Amino acid sequence: MFAPIEDLYRLAPELVLCTFGILVMLAEPFVPRKRSGLVAFLALLGAGAALAATRLSWAHPGTAFYGLVRVDDFSIFLHFVVGAVAVLVILGSRDYLEREGLHRGEFYALVLFATAGMGVMVSAQELVTAFIGLEISSISSYILASFRRNVPKSNESAMKYFLLGSFATSFFLYGVALVYGATGTTLLSRMDSASGNPTLLRLGLGMIFIGLAFKVASAPFQLWTPDVYEGAPTPVTALLSSGPKAAAFALLLRIFDTVFAASQLWVWAIWVSAALTMFAGNLAALVQSNVKRMLAYSSIAHAGYILVAFAARNEIGTAAVLFYLVAYALMKLGAFTMVTHLGGEGERRLEINDYAGLGSQQPAAAAFLTLYLFSLLGLPVTAGFLGKFYIFNAALKSHLVWLAVLLAINTVISAYYYLRVIVVMYMREPQKEWAATPIPRAVGLVLVLTAAGTLYLGLFPNYLMEFATQSAVLPR
Amino acid sequence: MSLELVLFFVLAAMAIGGAVSLILQRHPIHSALSLIVVMVALAGLYLLLGAEFIAAVQIIVYAGAIMVLFVFVIMLLNAGVEARTNVSRMARYVGLPLGFFLTVELAYWIAGGAGRQAPVSAGPTPTRELARMLFREFVFPFELTSILILIAILGAVVLAKKET
């Protein structure tokens, strides 16, 4: 018995990603060391083909494999996001891997597999499928985080990530088991109609929330983030902060919007978590001296902003989440790519004070970084501004005045540490001479794409916002 | 009391006793051996529920393969008796009451919702039914697991391969 061809169309992005992942693994031993760019190119081709395949599966909306996965505008939107993240990460990591002597085909294969896992997560309609997708994306991330094998700090952070991450996934899995015990089904759409034990259902949903809250790094489950983001190779940090986060948010949103019991139970948890996350991220970011750690705390804060839109519990909120995920992925990828390049061999130039004088020495690099930081802060004409504006709008429409006020306060707090980097870059004299290396072409392309995207969304958000609004209507 | 109920309580006591001993033992090998008791008791519980396939898998995979892996790792690392630190003392004074509190709370909640079980848990699930579910409705996650295993192998290669 074979699956109908329609089902395969609906699964096209994952099929393409896995096929290319395996091809990259197979090609790796046959490609001579000097031509290692070929493997990277193959991986890039795979990620690009996945975007094309997403376009193909868009033409075939509906459920596949007995209703376990579903292709709708929501899943397509996020498929585009994770696919684009994969393209940008692969583009931006080749020069880094060459520089650090880490160039191995397995890196790209893992990025492709992780993206396939995220794809499964965003279209899953059923918890076991979602769990396998989550595991595929998480385990690939653990391995990617430990790619710098001979750096002790990197090993330590990867070990922490692995242990805490496994702990969180087991929370998720235990929650799935309890939900199944309560309702007799793991299909999200059937959970409400099943007459089950409401206590077990609530316990299960609570545990699922904890598992996913860990993956999106929201307080009080955010403690792993700075260590892991600092220790992982910077291109991997760029991936971790954008792709898996978007996928975990999507899964959270899907459960939240489909299962009535979850939306009843979670709304307070999300309120509290959003407020805590914003403060935990922003206050800790104030005192960081390391750029990667500072950006890690800033990404915690951003998870808090996104949760504010969750708490709004309406379609405007969902659209705001989707828009923000794109804007956030663009600026974070750009910022981390810039940090990767500036870090130099062995990632040594990572202190904020090391950036002193960058504005006069490498004006282009400083300008790019300034743009990303402005966007992260949420200044007008950048994607970050409009993303925050939409979140505000959603929160106020749902009368979440307090949460909106907290968001505003946090934006002000965050201005300090984002602007500090800019001040150091342009107004301080350098204390130490750093060799200015030219920006490699692939890295330059990533920077131009992310910067253009950030500005484009800041000026003309309508097209993306329309798509996001259209995707926000989840079928019940 | 029926024989089934007696068996249930015996097995449940074995499982809980094994789990407690797993935590209290200070030598890793003793902990591992306690874990086997838990696994076997759980297999017995599954058998009581009429899930003979799950019981067999529990013995083969958990009590067999995974335990061998555990014991091998313990011996390879040559792990000795665990050391007591300040943190472990803190775990005793803070963790024990918290764990006790959680147990009482969960028991209270679950007992409160008892008698309203989902219809699916009624009656045994024959192996044939399980196979049909696994290879029809759930064939997609089942196949997807192969990618997961592939990644695990890939990870082992990446982390353990000699530098060239």
Side-chain angles (χ1 to χ4, degrees):
Chain A
M1 184 198 63
F2 289 104
I5 190 82
E6 283 278 295
D7 282 15
L8 296 182
Y9 281 137
R10 284 172 192 143
L11 219 58
E14 284 76 36
L15 290 174
V16 167
L17 283 167
C18 290
T19 312
F20 270 91
I22 293 169
L23 280 180
V24 167
M25 281 167 61
L26 292 178
E28 154 81 0
F30 298 106
V31 175
R33 200 128 197 91
K34 268 180 278 169
R35 316 216 35 171
S36 59
L38 273 178
V39 184
F41 181 71
L42 188 62
L44 191 63
L45 204 65
L51 284 176
T54 308
R55 185 71 193 77
L56 173 72
S57 70
W58 201 359
H60 300 269
T63 59
F65 290 101
Y66 300 92
L68 298 193
V69 287
R70 168 182 213 116
V71 172
D72 47 23
D73 287 338
F74 180 78
S75 80
I76 293 293
F77 187 98
L78 283 147
H79 265 102
F80 278 127
V81 176
V82 295
V85 166
V87 168
L88 292 174
V89 167
I90 292 171
L91 259 180
S93 50
R94 168 146 194 259
D95 293 291
Y96 171 86
L97 294 173
E98 286 290 341
R99 190 182 78 195
E100 305 289 324
L102 295 172
H103 200 283
R104 324 222 332 237
E106 286 88 358
F107 184 93
Y108 303 112
L110 284 168
V111 172
L112 292 177
F113 285 135
T115 311
M118 295 169 216
V120 172
M121 275 167 81
V122 302
S123 47
Q125 283 289 307
E126 190 264 345
L127 290 172
V128 175
T129 313
F131 172 73
I132 306 271
L134 182 68
E135 273 296 77
I136 291 181
S137 124
S138 308
I139 292 186
S140 317
S141 314
Y142 305 148
I143 304 167
L144 285 172
S146 60
F147 226 76
R148 285 197 295 168
R149 285 192 310 179
N150 33 21
V151 180
K153 195 174 202 173
S154 187
N155 289 341
E156 185 200 328
S157 76
M159 192 69 198
K160 268 184 195 161
Y161 187 31
F162 171 63
L163 288 177
L164 290 174
S166 313
F167 202 57
T169 352
S170 55
F171 257 100
F172 183 85
L173 191 58
Y174 195 16
V176 173
L178 288 181
V179 166
Y180 180 69
T183 61
T185 179
T186 47
L187 273 169
L188 294 176
S189 53
R190 287 214 205 120
M191 249 164 227
D192 281 326
S193 48
S195 59
N197 181 333
T199 321
L200 272 188
L201 180 62
R202 259 180 261 157
L203 268 178
L205 287 171
M207 289 199 170
I208 290 177
F209 180 73
I210 292 176
L212 290 176
F214 176 92
K215 299 284 168 195
V216 301
S218 72
F221 312 104
Q222 89 291 11
L223 291 170
W224 58 279
T225 322
D227 283 347
V228 173
Y229 281 23
E230 189 191 354
T234 319
V236 175
T237 315
L239 175 72
L240 290 183
S241 69
S242 46
K245 219 169 194 178
F249 267 122
L251 184 54
L252 206 56
L253 209 52
R254 180 81 86 171
I255 299 174
F256 192 59
D257 276 7
T258 318
V259 186
F260 181 68
S263 62
Q264 290 277 303
L265 177 75
W266 284 358
V267 72
W268 281 105
I270 285 180
W271 202 106
V272 174
S273 181
L276 275 178
T277 310
M278 286 191 288
F279 278 107
N282 281 321
L283 291 179
L286 289 180
V287 293
Q288 301 306 320
S289 63
N290 180 300
V291 180
K292 266 169 109 177
R293 271 187 102 80
M294 190 272 278
L295 286 174
Y297 278 111
S298 119
S299 91
I300 295 175
H302 282 272
Y305 304 154
I306 294 174
L307 283 176
V308 171
F310 262 76
R313 271 214 294 182
N314 51 23
E315 272 152 21
I316 313 173
T318 311
V321 170
L322 293 176
F323 184 90
Y324 206 86
L325 284 174
V326 176
Y328 169 78
L330 282 173
M331 52 209 190
K332 265 276 137 81
L333 275 175
F336 275 121
T337 309
M338 197 69 248
V339 171
T340 310
H341 173 68
L342 291 176
E345 205 183 326
E347 295 200 19
R348 278 170 300 155
R349 189 183 189 180
L350 288 176
E351 295 296 310
I352 292 176
N353 287 334
D354 294 345
Y355 285 5
L358 200 68
S360 52
Q361 286 164 355
Q362 288 167 275
F368 274 119
L369 197 54
T370 308
L371 174 67
Y372 302 131
L373 292 173
F374 275 160
S375 183
L376 284 167
L377 169 58
L379 289 188
V381 206
T382 58
F385 169 72
L386 281 165
K388 262 195 194 127
F389 171 76
Y390 290 131
I391 290 178
F392 257 115
N393 190 22
L396 291 178
K397 282 257 163 65
S398 299
H399 308 291
L400 294 169
V401 181
W402 276 108
L403 216 45
V405 170
L406 291 180
L407 175 59
I409 294 174
N410 271 284
T411 306
V412 176
I413 298 176
S414 71
Y416 173 75
Y417 59 85
Y418 291 131
L419 293 180
R420 188 174 57 158
V421 178
I422 296 170
V423 167
V424 167
M425 280 196 302
Y426 285 101
M427 299 181 190
R428 290 261 175 85
E429 290 301 314
Q431 295 146 339
K432 201 172 159 187
E433 278 302 312
W434 295 95
T437 42
I439 298 176
R441 257 184 302 166
V443 174
L445 187 57
V446 176
L447 293 173
V448 168
L449 283 176
T450 49
T454 309
L455 283 175
Y456 175 76
L457 290 182
L459 292 167
F460 312 104
N462 289 346
Y463 177 72
L464 185 73
M465 199 53 202
E466 253 168 51
F467 189 13
T469 314
Q470 185 191 338
S471 312
V473 190
L474 291 182
R476 291 237 169 214
Chain B
M1 224 183 337
S2 67
L3 180 65
E4 239 175 68
L5 209 57
V6 174
L7 268 177
F8 171 80
F9 278 115
V10 170
L11 288 169
M14 251 173 83
I16 294 174
V20 170
S21 135
L22 161 70
I23 303 173
L24 293 184
Q25 295 291 345
R26 302 208 20 209
H27 202 286
I29 282 286
H30 296 165
S31 287
L33 292 177
S34 312
L35 190 56
I36 297 184
V37 176
V38 180
M39 299 296 184
V40 172
L42 283 183
L45 285 175
Y46 292 146
L47 213 50
L48 270 184
L49 288 171
E52 65 277 344
F53 178 71
I54 308 281
V57 168
Q58 173 81 11
I59 293 284
I60 296 170
V61 176
Y62 284 90
I66 291 187
M67 283 319 299
V68 170
L69 196 68
F70 263 122
V71 174
F72 253 105
V73 169
I74 291 170
M75 292 197 312
L76 278 178
L77 292 179
N78 203 9
V81 176
E82 64 176 313
R84 288 278 145 104
T85 58
N86 276 336
V87 179
S88 70
R89 229 167 279 136
M90 194 185 81
R92 182 190 291 172
Y93 295 120
V94 179
L96 265 184
L98 277 181
F100 182 73
F101 178 70
L102 186 68
T103 313
V104 171
E105 197 185 349
L106 283 185
Y108 175 77
W109 274 49
I110 290 173
R116 282 181 284 173
Q117 301 306 335
V120 73
S121 49
T125 319
T127 309
R128 187 196 297 259
E129 197 57 39
L130 191 75
R132 190 166 289 151
M133 287 282 277
L134 193 57
F135 292 105
R136 191 170 288 169
E137 277 92 338
F138 286 90
V139 72
F140 175 58
F142 179 78
E143 293 292 341
L144 204 57
T145 313
S146 55
I147 294 289
L148 188 59
I149 296 171
L150 183 67
I151 293 171
I153 299 170
L154 194 58
V157 171
V158 166
L159 295 180
K161 203 165 99 179
K162 272 205 186 116
E163 303 269 339
T164 45

